[in-house]
Amino acid sequence: MFRVLLTAWLLLLCVTSSVIGYLTSDRRNYQQILLSDHVEERIHLLSPSNLLANRKCDGSDTLNNSCSRDLDFLKRDLTKRKEWALKMMDSSSKPQSGFLNGFLINIGSYDQCVSIHEILSDTVIRGRHCMYSVNPTTLKKPFPYNPIISICLPASCNSEDVAQLVNATADQIELLKIVELEWVFCSPLDSEKSDDSARFIILFLIALYVFFLGVCTVCHMYRKILFSPETINSKSFQSMCNLSFAKNNRIIFNTKADESHLSIINGIRVISTAWIVLSHEYIFDLFQVNINMLDLLKFYASWKSLIPLIGIFSVDTFLAMSGFLMTYTFFKKMNKKANFSIYQYYIHRYIRLTAPVAVVLAIMMYVYPSIGSGPRWDWFLSIFVMGIKEKWWSILLYLHNYIDKENLCVLHLWSLAVDMQLYWISPLILYPLYRRPKLGITIALALCVASIVASGVIVAMNQYPAIYATHEPNMELIMREFRDVYITTHTRASPWCIGIIFGYAVVTKTKRPSKATMWCGWLATISALIFCLYSSRYFTDTNYVYDIVREVIFASLARPAWAFAICWLVYASAHDCAGPITNILSWKHFQPLSRLSYCIYLVHVAFPLARASTTRTPTFFHDYVTWQSCICDLFLSVVMAWGVSITFEVPILALEDMIINLKAARSRERKDK
């Protein structure tokens, strides 16, 4: 069997390598556009120095009075070569080399700008860093990114004033008539930022909670070192010992073999989590101040783009494993004739997911904004973090993938909503599956088919790209597809349903499958992986022309095909038919990382977000840099996830178990009476 599998994978590599011969033939020559469409000249005419030079000083401008007054001071002191005025102009963007290779973002000198503090008679002038993005071409959306220019202005000026300066300059120069101002953002002043009271309260509560766990740890060590467990019979004391850091740490790092023979899932979880981190590293590279942005197009058209594109399927892996383990656990419990409480079924899941999420939201909302700064720090926070204040309730109710979808805060948490919503409806499948298996399988298959059809119909009606990227940069289209297809539960349910079917097959059919079944399963698995890999590569080819049939087929079948392949690995491993794959993925040291995978997923985005937000200097996009950043961020994510898990996740679950056991004990006492 292993030789057959190895031969098939070699065939896969040969097929894949045969279609990656075109790396650099861009569908649109962006360098030619930069050369022929006067783009560089228009950008120069929109530079900060020209905006100020073309400003009308006769009082006819529409700037606010304070801004207009301070700009007059700036113009006066520039002629006198005063230090503060020269610093303000020096902090603004200037023409840079590498423009034809995509160096389109110039963030100026943020720290020098905001450090300006000048007292002029009764006026205090401070520096304020602003950015404005323009489309300086005759073509609609010709670049992967519109050029971004930075300007340092007196703090009395705001984003509306910057927009007025840009539009006024464009109106005066014929070559700028076609220029479109995309957006303006000015860094907020200290007085405009939130006060420290909420941050202090959050940190105080966390510190108080950690102190309590520390006391529990001391009690646990006191009991373990100085006395035998039977010496102290106080239930309160024993409960405190159960919440200690030491005990929680042992739970996380326990590597005892799993008796269910499903330890392969640990390796799958760890690899999938690492792949998600790597994919997000590539995504955040798009937001960096890259001096070679046009090289990103070559990367997208190469086989290397499969690394982040295939990483997208890691979410489907987790959904499939969620359905698999949910079914497996349910049947194991029912087969033991244990009492099943639907109330406890839902409450346990909610507490299990929500305790770490609530902590991460609180920290991101009130603590994270104070740990950094930079020319784009507040801009990124306004997009990815600050929206938590309006959306936190829908996140904690796991409805945020349908409510306020324009709000992109903590975007990666959408998968939690999908998983929880599917969990809500799971009894509609699990109960029939236990009582009348054929009916349960029919319901699961019907839901799977409905999800597949929904994905295809939505992609077809809106002509969305199947792999969430296009050769023609169109962020509006990609974000619409993200909201309509990528994060919605009805389009992501098929892997979960496949996981349920395989979970039922493993838990109820313990007899080793026939050789014919195994051959067919491995063949289908290899075919599914080839389909996902080859199709993803096919869509990124520079010669590809949008084909609605191919797009719909891939959008409909790629996720269930990938989920089938992953579930088959677990199924084959459970029946000792996966050879060395089982040995590798069942390595016992995967277990601690597998337990931390959920918290790693929650916290990992904070690190690439912080790096992109605090960038002061241009960067160079290269695979080595991305992988280096990924390894560093993955290590930091593991450390932070360990802290979150040992402090919040494991103790909360232990507390839940104590409450359940206490209720059970009281119930037995009532029966005895």
Side-chain angles (χ1 to χ4, degrees), residues 4-298:
V4 174
L5 182 61
L6 179 60
T7 303
W9 270 110
L10 291 176
L11 176 62
L12 169 63
L13 293 176
C14 292
V15 171
T16 305
S17 61
S18 66
V19 296
I20 59 175
Y22 349 86
L23 286 180
T24 58
S25 57
D26 294 338
R27 287 173 60 93
R28 174 176 288 174
N29 192 327
Y30 290 95
Q31 288 184 343
Q32 188 61 36
I33 294 173
L34 293 173
L35 284 169
S36 62
D37 206 18
H38 303 286
V39 175
E40 188 172 10
E41 185 177 354
R42 290 191 179 101
I43 294 296
H44 177 69
L45 292 173
L46 289 171
S47 65
S49 57
N50 281 331
L51 294 189
L52 297 177
N54 287 287
R55 169 178 167 261
K56 296 179 180 180
C57 300
D58 56 2
S60 61
D61 59 40
T62 56
L63 306 178
N64 76 76
N65 294 333
S66 298
C67 177
S68 182
R69 178 202 62 204
D70 291 345
L71 288 180
D72 290 337
F73 288 149
L74 174 62
K75 183 177 181 179
R76 181 198 67 189
D77 286 359
L78 278 174
T79 59
K80 297 180 180 180
R81 299 193 62 79
K82 292 291 185 69
E83 180 182 354
W84 76 270
L86 294 175
K87 277 188 175 181
M88 189 162 286
M89 292 308 301
D90 184 54
S91 301
S92 302
S93 296
K94 299 178 180 63
Q96 69 270 9
S97 58
F99 185 79
L100 296 180
N101 198 35
F103 192 3
L104 305 174
I105 299 179
N106 194 319
I107 56 177
S109 179
Y110 170 82
D111 295 288
Q112 178 174 282
C113 176
V114 297
S115 67
I116 295 173
H117 188 278
E118 184 72 12
I119 300 177
L120 301 176
S121 61
D122 59 344
T123 302
V124 177
I125 295 183
R126 297 175 56 194
R128 188 177 209 172
H129 184 274
C130 298
M131 299 179 297
Y132 52 98
S133 175
V134 296
N135 177 18
T137 71
T138 56
L139 301 173
K140 189 65 177 177
K141 303 290 183 185
F143 297 109
Y145 314 89
N146 285 314
I148 297 177
I149 307 170
S150 301
I151 184 172
C152 184
L153 292 173
S156 56
C157 300
N158 53 39
S159 57
E160 289 80 8
D161 297 319
V162 176
Q164 291 291 340
L165 290 172
V166 174
N167 292 328
T169 300
D171 291 339
Q172 296 178 46
I173 302 175
E174 185 65 28
L175 192 60
L176 299 180
K177 296 296 184 182
I178 54 91
V179 170
E180 296 181 6
L181 179 64
E182 299 292 333
W183 53 262
V184 179
F185 182 85
C186 291
S187 298
L189 304 176
D190 293 337
S191 59
E192 297 173 344
K193 297 182 179 180
S194 59
D195 58 10
D196 295 331
S197 57
R199 186 180 306 115
F200 173 79
I201 293 173
I202 294 296
L203 291 175
F204 175 77
L205 292 176
I206 292 176
L208 190 63
Y209 174 72
V210 172
F211 175 77
F212 170 73
L213 294 183
V215 173
C216 293
T217 304
V218 172
C219 294
H220 178 262
M221 300 304 294
Y222 176 78
R223 177 191 182 192
K224 183 177 180 181
I225 296 174
L226 299 181
F227 299 97
S228 64
E230 295 79 12
T231 303
I232 302 177
N233 295 321
S234 171
K235 292 183 178 180
S236 299
F237 189 85
Q238 292 177 5
S239 298
M240 292 181 65
C241 293
N242 290 333
L243 298 177
S244 73
F245 284 120
K247 188 168 184 178
N248 298 335
N249 195 58
R250 284 204 308 270
I251 293 174
I252 293 175
F253 287 98
N254 179 29
T255 58
K256 185 179 179 181
D258 187 359
E259 297 179 357
S260 65
H261 304 291
L262 297 179
S263 53
I264 186 176
I265 293 178
N266 294 324
I268 293 175
R269 276 178 175 168
V270 172
I271 293 175
S272 298
T273 301
W275 209 337
I276 288 175
V277 174
L278 179 60
S279 297
H280 285 163
E281 292 289 338
Y282 275 103
I283 291 174
F284 274 97
D285 274 343
L286 302 177
F287 298 100
Q288 286 285 5
V289 186
N290 296 304
I291 65 175
N292 58 330
M293 285 184 176
L294 295 188
D295 287 344
L296 291 172
L297 298 179
K298 297 179 182 179

Side-chain angles (χ1 to χ4, degrees), residues 383-414:
I383 298 173
F384 297 111
V385 176
M386 302 312 296
I388 298 175
K389 294 181 178 179
E390 291 78 35
K391 204 173 181 178
W392 64 269
W393 63 271
S394 62
I395 297 176
L396 295 182
L397 292 178
Y398 300 98
L399 299 172
H400 53 286
N401 61 328
Y402 285 106
I403 296 177
D404 193 15
K405 292 193 287 186
E406 300 292 334
N407 188 338
L408 302 180
C409 67
V410 285
L411 198 57
H412 66 297
L413 298 186
W414 66 267

